[in-house]
Amino acid sequence: MKTKRQTKILELIKKNDICTQEELSDFLIREGYKVTQATVSRDIRELKLTKIQTASGRQKYVAFSEKNEGMLEKYHRVFRDGFISMDLAQNILVIKTVSGMANAVCASIDAMDFSEIVGSIAGDDTIMCAVRTTEDAEVLIKKLRKLVD
C-alpha cells in the first residue's frame, strides 16, 4: 500500500501544482487513499520532496530528482557564482572556483547531468571532471561557457 501511495503522490505532484500537505491529502483521499497528516508528512520526507516557486509565485512540491526549470536555474546560479576559470588537459576539464566553493559548484555540475562527464571530484577551489573524449571535452567547455557569459 505504501509503495502504491508514494507512486500516486509522485504522479499527483507532476500533474498538479500541490502547495500544501493538506492539498496533497485531499488529492490522495479523492484517489481512494485513506491518509493522515502524519502519513503524508512521512511520505514527503521519504520521497525527498522539495518545494520550488511557480511562475505565479506560489510554492509547489516536486520530486528532488525531477528536472525542472526552477532547480536548473539554481544550479546555473551556483555555477556562475563560484566560477573563476576553466582549462582543458585533453579529456580532463579543470575548473577553478572561489575558495571554498568547489564542492557546491561540483554538485551543481553533477545535478545538471552533462552526458559528456564520466565523473568529477572537488577540492577547496578546484574541480576535475573526467570527460569521455577530447571531442566531448570541447563540447562541454562550450556549454559551460554559455552559463557564465
Side-chain angles (χ1 to χ4, degrees):
M1 189 66 168
K2 178 180 174 179
T3 304
K4 285 184 179 182
R5 184 182 64 247
Q6 289 185 345
T7 301
K8 179 57 77 175
I9 288 171
L10 293 172
E11 178 186 315
L12 288 169
I13 66 170
K14 282 184 181 179
K15 291 182 180 176
N16 306 282
D17 286 352
I18 298 175
C19 303
T20 66
Q21 289 183 14
E22 186 177 341
E23 286 178 28
L24 182 53
S25 294
D26 290 344
F27 272 98
L28 287 168
I29 290 167
R30 278 187 290 232
E31 294 287 332
Y33 293 89
K34 293 181 181 177
V35 294
T36 64
Q37 186 276 331
T39 302
V40 171
S41 180
R42 212 172 10 259
D43 286 342
I44 288 170
R45 189 173 48 256
E46 289 176 10
L47 291 168
K48 295 183 172 73
L49 301 185
T50 189
K51 284 187 171 185
I52 62 164
Q53 191 166 345
T54 64
S56 67
R58 296 184 68 204
Q59 299 278 315
K60 74 171 189 170
Y61 284 110
V62 293
F64 186 71
S65 62
E66 190 177 295
K67 300 292 182 219
N68 60 66
E69 273 310 303
M71 292 303 290
L72 191 57
E73 181 53 38
K74 288 179 184 181
Y75 299 139
H76 290 178
R77 188 171 48 244
V78 168
F79 182 81
R80 281 191 303 270
D81 289 350
F83 176 84
I84 292 179
S85 66
M86 61 185 154
D87 199 5
L88 280 176
Q90 294 186 5
N91 70 317
I92 303 293
L93 175 62
V94 177
I95 301 170
K96 291 298 212 171
T97 70
V98 173
S99 182
M101 287 288 295
N103 277 306
V105 172
C106 190
S108 74
I109 291 169
D110 289 345
M112 288 185 268
D113 202 24
F114 292 104
S115 61
E116 296 87 359
I117 297 176
V118 177
S120 59
I121 188 166
D124 181 61
D125 65 354
T126 305
I127 301 166
M128 289 182 59
C129 297
V131 184
R132 293 187 191 288
T133 65
T134 54
E135 293 80 17
D136 283 346
E138 292 293 337
V139 170
L140 178 62
I141 207 164
K142 287 177 184 172
K143 288 179 180 180
L144 293 173
R145 286 223 186 275
K146 286 181 183 178
L147 295 177
V148 293
D149 288 340

